[in-house]
């Protein structure tokens, strides 16, 4: 045979060899991405200098593909110490995981485990609480515009909140333990002596001190006074010492925090002791600080997708739980909850030894679609590639019935086109479900993608902007872009996400009065 490549394992892998390795089993789309890997993307794939790599990539920049190629590269270059079982993806929903899981097998790797932020936080809390999901939180904000809820979310999504919580935990450590004398069978242990042992073992998390304090006190009692405690007596002493600490209940401590800062209204526990999504991470943070730190040591590389949708307190906790290398990726312009989002710069402050790398060129959409996206929400860092296509349609209809008929016509046109995927993206899941119920009478091979979905179907999909995040379609239709559905900054973000899902063809439709976000665009039928 003919030798095509020779690799000397002690030296850095050269670009052409890396590209060949990454291209080996990929589909045509992935080969195109690999073939056009730029220097900035190559640096991301092979970067091993920093513990945490933060990839700020504009819509369509290929950041997810690059992150997955990075995984393939790491698995290849560290095959003796790293396997797919050591890698975990924190992703926004199960459908997205199914969507991206198809890429790694094509690269010749096994499927990688995934989880959600809610699942991680609930695990830290021993699955003791009912909680609102991130999806439900976003839906509530979009549909109800609750100003008090927004205020609570905004407050808990700042670095200052983390700083105050750390100060409060120090306050708890210093003031919540009040020692008293403990009368045992043959001896009374002075409260002052117990307090000295509490300070002696300051390196232990507070709730873990009580056991070592008990062991030390019983040992000293035996040595100094020849009094030996039975197991039952030891357990009783430990219980007495534990009860001297007024912070043994996580939720009560969390309530105390808001009293301590003088703003108890910032905590709202819902019916059946259900936590709001924004309270899960702070509560888990409190538990992690006071108890022996739980770590996921089997995870040697963590991938966090849609990084903009997580708050500083969540990143601080992730740093504690996963003391491994991390690849964190997303786009601040695509946040579906701007009240609780984090920029790359804020994330960098929350993670250890982190570096930001930016991907500014968008490969997904045509130049004309990117122009419309920029009109909706200007991103000065976004650079469109020179791939031209149809000008996006912004179409007016006199009533909803006419609009629906027109959408059915667009679906029929898609069936006759060369395109393989069509996304009909509505603002909310409720609107998407209504649209699906109406449009399926025109075409029975249409799928509804909801928050409950676990698989990503091919063909024509009706879904919400939130569920569409991270996905892409040859053609996109965005219905009902009227002044009732799209009117504020959060709505603008949702519309931007929906628009940037389109690769080749995009149509916005509305009846009655157009959204002010698109009001000055050309309106034609």
């Amino acid at each position: 045979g003919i030798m095509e490549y020779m690799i000397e394992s002690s030296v850095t892998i050269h670009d052409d060899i890396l590209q060949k390795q990454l291209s080996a089993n990929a589909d045509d789309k992935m080969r195109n991405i690999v073939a056009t890997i730029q220097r900035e993307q190559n640096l991301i794939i092979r970067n091993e200098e920093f513990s945490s790599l933060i990839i700020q990539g504009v819509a369509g920049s290929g950041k997810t593909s690059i992150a997955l190629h990075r995984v393939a590269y790491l698995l290849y270059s560290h095959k003796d110490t790293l396997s797919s079982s050591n890698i975990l993806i924190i992703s926004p929903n199960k459908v997205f995981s199914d969507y991206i899981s198809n890429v790694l097998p094509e690269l010749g790797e096994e499927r990688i485990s995934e989880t959600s932020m809610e699942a991680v936080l609930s695990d830290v809390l021993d699955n003791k609480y009912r909680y609102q999901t991130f999806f439900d939180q976003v839906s509530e904000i979009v549909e109800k515009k609750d100003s008090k809820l927004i205020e609570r979310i905004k407050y808990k999504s700042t670095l200052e909140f983390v700083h105050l919580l750390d100060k409060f935990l120090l306050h708890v450590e210093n003031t919540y333990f009040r020692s008293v004398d403990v009368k045992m069978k043959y001896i009374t242990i002075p409260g002052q002596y117990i307090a000295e042992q509490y300070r002696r073992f300051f390196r232990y998390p507070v709730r873990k001190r009580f056991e070592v304090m008990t062991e030390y006190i019983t040992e000293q009692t035996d040595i100094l006074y020849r009094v030996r405690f039975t197991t039952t007596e030891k357990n009783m002493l430990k219980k007495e010492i534990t009860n001297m600490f007024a912070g043994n209940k996580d939720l009560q401590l969390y309530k105390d925090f808001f009293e301590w800062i003088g703003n108890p209204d910032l905590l709202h526990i819902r019916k059946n002791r259900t936590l709001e999504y924004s309270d899960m991470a702070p509560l888990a943070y409190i538990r992690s600080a006071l108890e022996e730190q739980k770590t996921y040591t089997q995870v040697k590389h963590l991938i966090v997708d849609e990084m903009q949708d997580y708050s500083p307190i969540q990143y601080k906790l992730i740093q504690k739980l996963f003391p491994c290398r991390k690849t964190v990726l997303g786009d601040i312009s695509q946040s579906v909850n701007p009240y609780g989002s984090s920029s790359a710069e804020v994330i960098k402050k929350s993670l250890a030894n982190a570096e930001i790398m930016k991907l500014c060129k968008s490969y997904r959409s045509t130049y004309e679609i990117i122009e419309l996206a920029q009109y909706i929400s200007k991103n000065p860092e976004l650079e469109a590639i020179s791939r031209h296509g149809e000008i996006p349609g912004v179409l007016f209809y006199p009533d909803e019935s006419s609009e629906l008929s027109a959408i059915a016509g667009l679906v029929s046109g898609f069936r006759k086109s060369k395109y393989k995927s069509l996304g009909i993206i509505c603002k909310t899941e409720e609107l998407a479900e209504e649209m699906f119920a109406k449009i399926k009478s025109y075409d029975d091979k249409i799928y509804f993608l909801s928050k409950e979905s676990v698989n990503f179907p091919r063909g024509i999909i009706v879904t919400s902007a939130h569920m569409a995040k991270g996905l892409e379609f040859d053609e996109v239709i965005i219905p009902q872009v009227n002044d009732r559905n799209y009117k504020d900054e959060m709505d603008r973000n949702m519309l931007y996400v929906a628009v940037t899902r389109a690769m080749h063809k995009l149509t916005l439709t509305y009846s009655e009065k157009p959204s002010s976000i698109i009001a000055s665009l050309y309106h034609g039928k």
Side-chain angles (χ1 to χ4, degrees):
I2 301 171
M3 182 180 291
E4 293 184 3
Y5 288 93
M6 181 176 72
I7 301 176
E8 172 56 52
S9 60
S10 62
V11 299
T12 304
I13 300 173
H14 296 294
D15 291 359
D16 52 351
I17 301 173
L18 174 62
Q19 289 199 354
K20 183 175 180 64
Q21 173 65 21
L22 295 179
S23 299
N25 297 302
D27 60 12
D28 289 340
K29 181 186 169 191
M30 196 56 68
R31 286 196 192 96
N32 289 339
I33 292 170
V34 174
T36 57
I37 285 177
Q38 304 298 312
R39 181 175 178 274
E40 58 184 2
Q41 296 169 324
N42 191 25
L43 286 172
I44 292 169
I45 290 171
R46 297 171 23 158
N47 189 297
E48 298 187 55
E49 180 182 354
F50 296 94
S51 299
S52 297
L53 204 59
I54 302 167
I55 308 171
Q56 161 57 43
V58 299
S61 59
K63 55 186 172 290
T64 303
S65 298
I66 295 303
L68 295 177
H69 277 110
R70 174 169 164 75
V71 169
Y73 167 74
L74 292 171
L75 287 170
Y76 171 75
S77 57
H78 298 281
K79 49 182 171 283
D80 294 334
T81 57
L82 184 69
S83 71
S84 57
S85 63
N86 303 131
I87 299 175
L88 178 68
I89 300 174
I90 294 180
S91 58
N93 56 59
K94 292 177 182 176
V95 171
F96 183 69
S97 303
D98 180 62
Y99 176 76
I100 63 173
S101 69
N102 293 319
V103 177
L104 281 170
E106 289 165 351
L107 289 170
E109 308 300 342
E110 297 174 20
R111 182 165 180 161
I112 285 176
S113 299
E114 60 82 23
T115 189
S116 65
M117 182 64 75
E118 293 101 312
V120 171
L121 299 176
S122 185
D123 186 43
V124 173
L125 295 168
D126 293 333
N127 301 303
K128 285 173 58 177
Y129 300 93
R130 294 185 179 91
Y131 57 85
Q132 178 191 45
T133 66
F134 177 63
F135 188 96
D136 290 338
Q137 177 189 265
V138 172
S139 297
E140 184 174 344
I141 297 170
V142 170
E143 292 165 13
K144 296 184 179 179
K145 311 291 185 186
D146 184 337
S147 60
K148 289 186 177 180
L149 172 61
I150 291 170
E151 181 188 1
R152 293 195 295 271
I153 293 169
K154 287 173 74 172
Y155 180 78
K156 295 162 191 172
S157 300
T158 62
L159 285 166
E160 176 61 19
F161 173 66
V162 181
H163 175 65
L164 281 173
L165 201 54
D166 284 334
K167 284 184 69 175
F168 173 71
L169 287 167
L170 186 61
H171 166 72
V172 167
E173 182 178 357
N174 291 333
T175 64
Y176 272 50
F177 187 79
R178 295 171 186 173
S179 59
V180 294
D181 295 352
V182 178
K183 292 182 179 179
M184 303 298 289
K185 188 174 181 180
Y186 300 108
I187 192 170
T188 296
I189 302 170
Q192 184 179 352
Y193 181 74
I194 294 172
E196 287 173 6
Q197 308 323 310
Y198 179 76
R199 292 189 293 271
R200 174 190 295 273
F201 295 102
F202 72 95
R203 293 188 185 278
Y204 286 78
V206 173
R207 291 178 186 164
K208 291 299 174 184
R209 289 183 203 179
F210 310 138
E211 187 168 349
V212 291
M213 287 168 63
T214 302
E215 287 296 326
Y216 182 81
I217 290 169
T218 54
E219 284 176 9
Q220 291 301 306
T221 304
D222 185 12
I223 293 169
L224 298 174
Y225 304 106
R226 298 186 181 279
V227 174
R228 291 188 178 182
F229 292 157
T230 64
T231 301
T232 301
E233 288 170 330
K234 280 185 181 180
N235 289 337
M236 189 192 84
L237 176 59
K238 181 186 173 185
K239 185 177 180 181
E240 291 285 341
I241 292 173
T242 300
N243 290 338
M244 294 175 194
F245 181 59
N248 285 314
K249 294 182 179 179
D250 299 331
L251 194 55
Q252 184 56 54
L253 265 184
Y254 193 41
K255 290 177 181 176
D256 290 355
F257 166 74
F258 291 101
E259 293 286 350
W260 184 71
I261 63 170
N263 204 337
D265 292 340
L266 285 173
L267 177 63
H268 177 64
I269 306 298
R270 305 196 174 198
K271 286 182 182 179
N272 300 318
R273 285 169 57 88
T274 300
L275 299 175
E276 291 187 338
Y277 174 75
S278 59
D279 289 316
M280 288 185 72
L283 196 59
Y285 189 81
I286 287 172
R287 168 169 283 203
S288 179
L290 295 177
E291 297 191 2
E292 190 169 16
Q293 188 168 308
K294 180 176 186 174
T295 56
Y296 296 81
T297 52
Q298 77 278 13
V299 178
K300 295 181 181 178
H301 197 96
L302 179 71
I303 300 172
V304 180
D305 193 63
E306 301 294 353
M307 68 182 190
Q308 69 278 359
D309 290 330
Y310 303 122
S311 64
I313 188 76
Q314 289 173 323
Y315 280 109
K316 286 287 188 181
L317 191 59
I318 286 295
Q319 180 62 43
K320 293 174 77 173
L321 298 175
F322 298 93
C324 60
R325 290 184 177 273
K326 303 170 188 67
T327 301
V328 183
L329 60 145
D331 177 17
I332 188 61
S333 296
Q334 296 183 64
S335 173
V336 292
N337 178 13
Y339 310 115
S341 60
S342 296
S343 66
E345 289 71 26
V346 168
I347 295 168
K348 183 178 180 180
K349 292 177 182 177
S350 305
L351 297 177
N353 188 30
E355 177 68 357
I356 299 170
M357 302 192 81
K358 295 187 176 183
L359 297 172
C360 299
K361 188 170 286 188
S362 178
Y363 299 94
R364 173 187 297 144
S365 307
T366 63
Y367 185 86
E368 290 74 16
I369 291 171
I370 291 297
E371 269 197 321
L372 177 57
Q374 289 283 60
Y375 173 85
I376 291 168
S377 182
K378 182 68 176 176
N379 181 352
E381 293 189 337
L382 192 154
E383 180 186 348
I385 61 168
S386 298
R387 179 170 65 82
H388 291 275
E390 294 181 46
I391 294 174
V394 182
L395 308 179
F396 163 73
Y397 298 93
D399 52 54
E400 289 184 5
S401 178
S402 301
E403 183 180 0
L404 182 64
S405 295
I407 291 169
L410 290 168
V411 170
S412 179
F414 164 78
R415 289 289 189 202
K416 298 170 186 174
S417 74
K418 62 183 179 181
Y419 300 138
K420 295 180 180 178
S421 60
L422 169 64
I424 301 174
I425 305 176
C426 301
K427 177 187 165 184
T428 66
E429 180 149 315
E430 184 180 358
L431 290 172
E433 192 167 10
E434 289 174 5
M435 175 59 65
F436 174 68
K438 293 172 183 175
I439 202 71
K440 69 179 180 181
S441 63
Y442 293 91
D443 190 319
D444 61 359
K445 291 184 179 178
I446 295 179
Y447 304 96
F448 176 49
L449 194 64
S450 75
K451 65 178 181 180
E452 305 299 333
S453 300
V454 294
N455 295 309
F456 179 73
R458 302 293 186 263
I460 302 175
I461 290 172
V462 181
T463 192
S464 65
H466 189 167
M467 283 300 298
K469 279 211 320 171
L471 309 180
E472 60 183 29
F473 304 90
D474 291 321
E475 181 177 348
V476 166
I477 300 169
I478 307 175
Q480 305 164 324
V481 190
N482 55 47
D483 64 336
R484 285 180 286 109
N485 286 332
Y486 294 93
K487 51 194 175 185
D488 60 24
E489 283 308 299
M490 189 158 183
D491 298 337
R492 184 187 295 274
N493 279 30
M494 290 293 188
L495 187 57
Y496 179 86
V497 168
V499 164
T500 53
R501 301 309 94 201
M503 291 192 285
H504 307 294
K505 185 176 180 179
L506 172 67
T507 307
L508 282 64
T509 69
Y510 69 95
S511 55
E512 302 170 10
K513 191 176 179 182
S515 162
S516 59
I517 298 170
I518 62 160
S520 63
L521 293 174
Y522 169 78
H523 313 301
K525 182 177 176 182

